[in-house]
Amino acid sequence: MAMFRIGEAAELLGVSTDTVRRWVDAGRLAATRDEHGHRVLDGVDLAGFVRAAAAAPEEHAELSSARNRLRGIVTAVVKDAVMAQVDIQAGPFRIVSLMSREAVDDLGLQVGSVAVAVIKSTTVVVERPAPHPSRGRSGP
């Protein structure tokens, strides 16, 4: 069973360690203590928390079959006569979108704008990180 320390959970969720601690203290996330007295979160419980948070409808969201919606800030816009590249930073994730210049202009996208990257794909590559040297093969 995968167990995550507060810092690891915060990194996975894209929030601060203080936020995860507040969620634990408020009872939103269950935590236990490991053999060193550190608070740890069960991977199954953490996954359930994330699923529940993702299922909550976004305010002002359009109805869509796409489930991957990443809200962020536009960090770059490069336009030519026909096409444009828009970079969005959504938490720790950089999303790059290529679209028509007309779409960028119609949406009013510019550096500093808030935007939602909606991703719908039939191909998703899933990888597992290499085991951390101090954890051996039993870690997450």
Side-chain angles (χ1 to χ4, degrees), residues 1-71:
M1 171 177 355
M3 299 298 284
F4 297 93
R5 291 180 64 174
I6 297 284
E8 293 170 319
E11 184 180 337
L12 288 170
L13 298 175
V15 298
S16 72
T17 55
D18 287 338
T19 296
V20 175
R21 283 188 190 100
R22 282 192 297 272
W23 289 340
V24 169
D25 292 343
R28 293 182 62 195
L29 270 171
T32 58
R33 300 265 179 192
D34 67 9
E35 64 276 6
H36 304 290
H38 298 115
R39 290 192 282 189
V40 292
L41 306 165
D42 176 85
V44 173
D45 292 341
L46 189 59
F49 176 80
V50 171
R51 272 194 310 274
E58 274 188 42
E59 194 175 326
H60 308 297
E62 297 293 325
L63 294 177
S64 173
S65 65
R67 297 293 181 247
N68 304 303
R69 303 174 63 84
L70 302 171
R71 187 171 189 264

